[in-house]
Amino acid sequence: MEGLDDELGPIVLDDEGEECYIVDSRGFLAETVLTMVPQAEHGLTCPWDDKQMGDQRDLRKFIFRDEPLFFWECPEFACGGRVWDPAVVVAKYLEGEHGNSFKGKRVIELGTGTGFVGIVCATLGAKVTLTDYDDDVMLLPRENIRINSLEDNALATPHQWGTDASQLGAPFDMVIGTDVMYDPSSFDALHQSLLALSGPHTEILMCHHRRRGELRLFLDKMQDGFRRQRIDFSSCMAPEALSATATASATATATTKPFDTSNIFMYKFTKKGCLSIIMN
């Protein structure tokens, strides 16, 4: 695959000869920058029952541009019930690279989970559509939109990859997906949705924490119809960039050493034959 060996580095194999990269999927990054808010402090009540989302729910605070954003997490509700490290990487990247150019832009997020990245985009002034695979899953991002008072800028609606996307209002200025490339069996459908949601000037931003060989397979799939550019986000992860975001208990760590993001990859895709319009 053209250029991938240089981009992804040496292949690491497990004892069975399969490509494998050992990662802490949650990671220290998300645990550091997302503060747990005690029930006694926030006094909020979840609008769903245990059968829908499980009986564990945590409210976390993320400092973004010196202001707090709040997010319910439901760790028992599959992988979409919590914020993962690639979402934090994208949030910091957008804050630094696109922070002053998002106002009025139309953005759609695929596999939104908690809604973390979409809500960050809405905070920056974008008009955001947050999507995941069915309506039950949307309970979590809808509530997180509500508690951050972003109903005017953000809408949560279901979209199953590979199905009709005409009702979503494509094309968008930007399509975002974080940690959605973990299942190769979904890549055909994801590719179809990316084609349907993008236009000549759309930027597709994808960020992934690789686990096995799935990233290589996804990038190979995206050669059909898209150009790719690997994004260097190292400046956004520097200790000084994270110091204002880190929780009080981890500030010393965040300001003295960088986080290990060696297995997190960010790419921008644009349709072949189209010119990319840089948003900042």
Side-chain angles (χ1 to χ4, degrees):
M1 286 172 254
E2 181 184 355
L4 284 185
D5 289 341
D6 291 336
E7 290 177 20
L8 300 181
I11 294 176
V12 178
L13 304 179
D14 62 17
D15 293 340
E16 298 179 355
E18 299 290 334
E19 190 172 354
C20 181
Y21 305 88
I22 304 301
V23 298
D24 177 357
S25 294
R26 169 65 168 202
F28 185 56
L29 176 57
E31 287 294 343
T32 299
V33 302
L34 289 157
T35 312
M36 185 83 74
V37 183
Q39 170 72 30
E41 180 179 332
H42 64 73
L44 298 175
T45 302
C46 288
W48 53 76
D49 59 38
D50 295 350
K51 291 181 180 179
Q52 290 173 301
M53 305 293 281
D55 60 5
Q56 183 183 351
R57 63 285 307 271
D58 304 318
L59 187 70
R60 291 183 176 268
K61 178 171 64 176
F62 177 68
I63 303 300
F64 187 73
R65 294 198 153 191
D66 299 323
E67 296 293 335
L69 295 173
F70 295 93
F71 299 90
W72 283 110
E73 288 190 326
C74 296
E76 297 177 6
F77 190 66
C79 58
R82 62 194 310 177
V83 178
W84 304 94
D85 281 3
V88 177
V89 170
V90 169
K92 295 302 295 181
Y93 171 76
L94 292 176
E95 179 185 24
E97 298 297 321
H98 293 290
N100 297 318
S101 62
F102 253 40
K103 189 173 181 60
K105 297 294 184 181
R106 298 182 64 248
V107 177
I108 187 166
E109 184 186 11
L110 302 181
T112 189
T114 62
F116 180 84
V117 172
I119 287 171
V120 163
C121 293
T123 302
L124 291 172
K127 297 295 185 180
V128 189
T129 302
L130 294 75
T131 70
D132 221 309
Y133 60 87
D134 68 24
D135 204 55
D136 287 342
V137 178
M138 304 315 296
L139 289 171
L140 187 52
R142 282 173 183 155
E143 180 60 12
N144 286 335
I145 289 169
R146 189 192 70 80
I147 64 174
N148 288 289
S149 302
L150 288 168
E151 294 93 335
D152 289 342
N153 278 23
L155 168 71
T157 189
H159 170 64
Q160 192 166 40
W161 301 340
T163 63
D164 179 31
S166 59
Q167 77 284 1
L168 296 173
F172 289 85
D173 296 308
M174 179 173 278
V175 181
I176 300 178
T178 62
D179 234 2
V180 297
M181 297 94 81
Y182 56 85
D183 180 9
S185 68
S186 70
F187 288 172
D188 284 346
L190 176 55
H191 183 260
Q192 290 176 36
S193 283
L194 292 173
L195 285 169
L197 295 169
S198 58
H201 306 305
T202 301
E203 292 188 10
I204 300 172
L205 189 67
M206 307 290 280
C207 188
H208 183 66
H209 204 166
R210 69 174 171 178
R211 294 156 178 83
R212 302 189 70 86
E214 73 287 342
L215 180 58
R216 190 177 297 271
L217 294 173
F218 177 76
L219 294 178
D220 184 43
K221 181 67 180 178
M222 289 295 285
Q223 290 188 103
D224 180 10
F226 293 98
R227 293 191 186 91
R228 73 171 184 275
Q229 175 189 344
R230 186 175 176 187
I231 302 297
D232 179 4
F233 55 82
S234 56
S235 62
C236 303
M237 292 294 102
E240 59 272 19
L242 289 170
S243 59
T245 305
T247 66
S249 63
T251 297
T253 299
T255 55
T256 57
K257 68 176 184 179
F259 291 96
D260 180 11
T261 56
S262 58
N263 274 313
I264 296 180
F265 292 79
M266 186 187 299
Y267 283 90
K268 180 181 77 173
F269 298 93
T270 53
K271 279 187 170 178
K272 289 182 177 177
C274 301
L275 295 176
S276 173
I277 304 299
I278 304 301
M279 294 176 65
N280 61 334

